[in-house]
C-alpha cells in the first residue's frame, strides 16, 4: 500500500514539475550552464512571407523563417533576407517574458509587368469595396467598344478575360464621358457626360438601354458613408491614414505599456499638411514621407506613389520597397484584394489618349 501511495505521489510531483518546466520554458526561462543560473529571456518569432528567408540578429545568422529565437533582454537589429527580395530590417527591444513577432512581408526586387487591357482603358475607377475596376474602351471594334468592369479575383489575369462588358457603345456615346462613378454599394455605375447627362448601368449584365438619371438620383446612389472626417481607415479598421489640417500636439490616450508594441519612433507633434498614420490599438502616431498613399490589403502596409515611382512600405514608414519605376498616369494606382498585384494605367509606347492600358505589377 505504502509503495502504491509513494508511486502515485511521485507521479503527481513529476507531472507538476514537468508542467512548471514547460511553462517556464514558454515564458523564456533558459539555463545558463556556465554561470550555473536560470536566465529570463524574451522570444523573437521570426515570420516572413514568403517563408524560408534568413534571419539575422545583429548581423549574425540565427535561423530561417518561420521559427523562434530566444534572446536576452536588450536592443537588437533584426534583418530578414531572401534572394530576389527587398530585405526587411527593424531595430527592436526584447523584454523579459515577452514575444516580438516580425510579420515581415518581402517584396520582389524585379516584379514583372503584364497588360490587362490591349485596346485602351479610359477613366478607370475602382469600386468602393475595392474588388472591381470600371473603364471605357473607345478604340476597338464597334462591338468591343463600351464600358467594362474588371473583377479583381484570385484567378490569373489574361488580357481582359476577367472583364465583363456592361454596355456596348456602338455610337461612341460614352467614349466622351467625363468619368465613371460607382454607387456606394458597388452594384451600379454612372457614366457622366460633359452634357451633364448621367447614364445608370447595372454591373452584373449587358445594359442594352441604359437609364438616364437626374442629379438628385446621382446624389442618392453615390452618397458617401458618414463619419470618416477625412480619415482613410485600414481594411481591418485598426489604423487610419490622414493629413493634418492644423499644427498641434496629439494627446496620449493609453497610459500603460502594451507588450509587443511597434518599436518605430512615433511623432505626436503634428504639422499642417503632413501625412500620418494613427494606430488605434497601440495609440501611436507615425509621420510619413511626402507622397500619395493608399492602404495595402494587409493593413500593415501602404502603397506610396510619386512621379515615376511606386513603392510599398510599412504603415510606420519603415521598410520601403520600390516595386516600379517608370511612367504611369497619376492617380490611377489600384491594389489587388489579395495583394498579389498592383494595377497601374500606363503606355509603354508613345503616349496618346487611347494608348494607355491597365497593367499589373505582379508581386506574387
Amino acid at each position: 500500500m505504502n509503495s502504491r501511495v509513494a508511486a502515485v505521489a511521485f507521479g503527481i510531483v513529476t507531472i507538476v514539475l514537468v508542467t512548471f518546466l514547460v511553462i517556464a520554458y514558454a515564458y523564456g526561462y533558459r539555463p545558463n550552464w556556465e554561470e550555473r543560473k536560470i536566465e529570463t529571456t524574451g522570444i523573437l518569432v521570426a515570420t516572413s512571407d514568403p517563408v524560408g528567408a534568413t534571419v539575422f540578429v545583429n548581423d549574425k545568422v540565427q535561423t530561417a523563417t518561420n521559427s523562434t529565437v530566444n534572446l536576452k533582454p536588450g536592443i537588437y537589429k533584426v534583418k530578414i533576407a531572401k534572394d530576389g527580395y527587398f530585405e526587411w530590417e527593424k531595430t527592436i527591444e526584447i523584454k523579459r517574458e515577452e514575444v516580438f513577432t516580425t510579420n515581415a512581408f518581402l517584396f520582389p526586387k524585379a516584379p514583372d509587368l503584364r497588360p490587362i487591357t490591349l485596346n485602351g482603358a479610359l477613366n478607370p475607377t475602382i469600386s468602393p469595396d475595392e474588388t472591381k475596376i470600371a473603364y471605357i474602351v473607345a478604340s476597338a471594334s464597334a462591338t468591343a467598344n463600351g464600358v467594362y468592369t474588371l473583377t479583381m479575383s484570385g484567378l490569373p489575369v489574361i488580357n481582359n478575360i476577367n472583364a465583363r462588358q456592361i454596355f456596348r457603345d456602338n455610337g461612341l456615346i460614352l467614349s466622351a464621358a467625363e468619368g465613371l462613378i460607382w454607387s456606394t454599394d458597388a452594384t451600379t455605375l454612372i457614366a457622366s457626360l460633359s452634357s451633364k447627362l448621367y447614364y445608370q448601368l447595372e454591373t452584373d449584365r449587358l445594359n442594352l438601354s441604359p437609364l438616364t438619371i437626374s442629379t438628385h438620383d446621382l446624389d442618392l446612389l453615390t452618397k458617401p458613408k458618414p463619419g470618416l472626417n477625412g480619415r482613410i481607415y485600414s481594411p481591418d479598421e485598426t489604423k487610419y491614414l490622414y493629413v493634418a489640417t492644423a499644427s498641434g500636439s496629439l494627446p496620449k490616450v493609453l497610459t500603460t505599456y502594451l507588450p509587443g508594441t511597434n518599436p518605430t519612433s512615433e511623432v505626436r507633434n503634428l504639422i499642417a499638411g503632413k501625412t500620418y498614420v494613427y494606430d488605434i490599438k497601440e495609440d501611436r502616431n507615425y509621420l510619413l514621407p511626402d507622397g500619395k498613399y493608399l492602404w495595402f490589403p494587409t493593413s500593415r502596409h501602404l502603397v506610396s506613389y510619386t512621379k515615376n515611382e511606386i513603392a510599398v512600405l510599412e504603415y510606420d514608414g519603415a521598410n520601403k520597397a520600390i516595386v516600379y519605376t517608370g511612367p504611369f498616369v497619376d492617380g490611377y494606382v489600384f491594389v489587388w484584394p489579395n495583394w498579389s498585384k498592383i494595377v497601374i494605367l500606363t503606355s509603354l509606347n508613345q503616349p496618346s489618349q487611347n494608348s494607355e492600358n491597365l497593367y499589373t505589377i505582379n508581386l506574387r
Side-chain angles (χ1 to χ4, degrees):
M1 179 65 71
N2 290 336
S3 60
R4 181 178 298 177
V5 172
V8 171
F10 178 77
I12 293 174
V13 171
T14 302
I15 292 172
V16 170
L17 181 60
V18 169
T19 302
F20 173 80
L21 292 175
V22 169
I23 294 174
Y25 191 88
Y27 271 88
Y29 288 89
R30 294 293 185 274
N32 185 330
W33 302 113
E34 293 182 359
E35 299 181 13
R36 297 182 180 181
K37 64 179 182 179
I38 301 296
E39 292 182 337
T40 308
T41 65
I43 298 175
L44 169 66
V45 179
T47 63
S48 71
D49 187 342
V51 299
T54 304
V55 180
F56 296 82
V57 177
N58 290 344
D59 297 321
K60 295 182 179 179
V61 175
Q62 292 291 324
T63 183
T65 58
N66 295 332
S67 59
T68 61
V69 180
N70 283 91
L71 298 170
K72 294 180 181 180
I75 305 296
Y76 297 90
K77 184 179 75 172
V78 178
K79 182 173 70 175
I80 295 177
K82 187 177 178 70
D83 289 344
Y85 293 84
F86 287 97
E87 294 177 351
W88 182 97
E89 187 175 304
K90 187 160 284 192
T91 299
I92 67 170
E93 182 178 6
I94 293 294
K95 296 187 176 183
R96 290 180 175 85
E97 302 182 8
E98 287 190 11
V99 176
F100 184 90
T101 304
T102 59
N103 289 324
F105 281 78
L106 305 180
F107 295 93
K109 292 181 178 178
D112 65 324
L113 192 67
R114 299 178 187 175
I116 299 177
T117 62
L118 299 176
N119 297 312
L122 300 176
N123 301 321
T125 179
I126 195 165
S127 60
D129 60 4
E130 300 182 346
T131 62
K132 302 182 186 72
I133 298 174
Y135 59 93
I136 296 171
V137 172
S139 58
S141 63
T143 56
N145 286 329
V147 180
Y148 288 79
T149 59
L150 171 72
T151 300
M152 297 190 290
S153 66
L155 298 174
V157 181
I158 307 173
N159 294 344
N160 216 27
I161 198 170
N162 299 60
R164 174 198 293 267
Q165 188 178 28
I166 63 171
F167 179 69
R168 187 170 294 136
D169 199 3
N170 297 330
L172 295 180
I173 299 171
L174 298 184
S175 62
E178 290 182 342
L180 298 171
I181 307 168
W182 284 94
S183 63
T184 305
D185 62 3
T187 62
T188 302
L189 266 175
I190 297 93
S192 171
L193 273 64
S194 57
S195 56
K196 301 304 178 185
L197 287 175
Y198 301 100
Y199 289 97
Q200 180 177 339
L201 304 171
E202 301 301 323
T203 59
D204 59 350
R205 60 183 174 84
L206 181 64
N207 295 258
L208 300 177
S209 300
L211 178 67
T212 303
I213 63 172
S214 65
T215 55
H216 176 70
D217 293 331
L218 173 66
D219 292 339
L220 292 176
L221 286 169
T222 60
K223 186 177 180 180
K225 295 180 180 179
L228 296 181
N229 296 324
R231 301 172 181 176
I232 303 175
Y233 282 84
S234 60
D236 65 2
E237 298 184 345
T238 61
K239 309 168 189 73
Y240 60 79
L241 174 72
Y242 70 99
V243 176
T245 56
S247 299
S249 180
L250 189 67
K252 291 288 290 184
V253 177
L254 293 179
T255 57
T256 56
Y257 168 75
L258 291 177
T261 295
N262 187 342
T264 301
S265 299
E266 64 166 337
V267 175
R268 302 193 81 87
N269 291 323
L270 307 182
I271 301 174
K274 293 294 184 179
T275 304
Y276 300 86
V277 166
Y278 178 71
D279 188 324
I280 301 170
K281 181 180 178 180
E282 296 186 358
D283 182 31
R284 294 179 67 83
N285 196 68
Y286 304 98
L287 172 66
L288 298 177
D290 292 338
K292 298 177 181 178
Y293 294 90
L294 60 149
W295 281 104
F296 209 63
T298 60
S299 292
R300 295 185 54 83
H301 299 82
L302 295 160
V303 174
S304 71
Y305 58 98
T306 56
K307 186 178 180 180
N308 295 333
E309 180 185 288
I310 298 174
V312 184
L313 67 163
E314 292 181 324
Y315 69 93
D316 58 6
N319 291 301
K320 179 180 178 180
I322 300 173
V323 296
Y324 176 80
T325 54
F328 65 95
V329 182
D330 188 24
Y332 294 102
V333 179
F334 315 110
V335 185
W336 216 259
N338 66 359
W339 69 269
S340 63
K341 307 172 185 65
I342 294 175
V343 180
I344 61 173
L345 181 67
T346 188
S347 174
L348 301 184
N349 303 311
Q350 186 67 28
S352 68
Q353 185 182 16
N354 293 329
S355 68
E356 292 162 349
N357 279 286
L358 293 172
Y359 285 79
T360 58
I361 304 167
N362 295 289
L363 305 177
R364 287 292 186 268

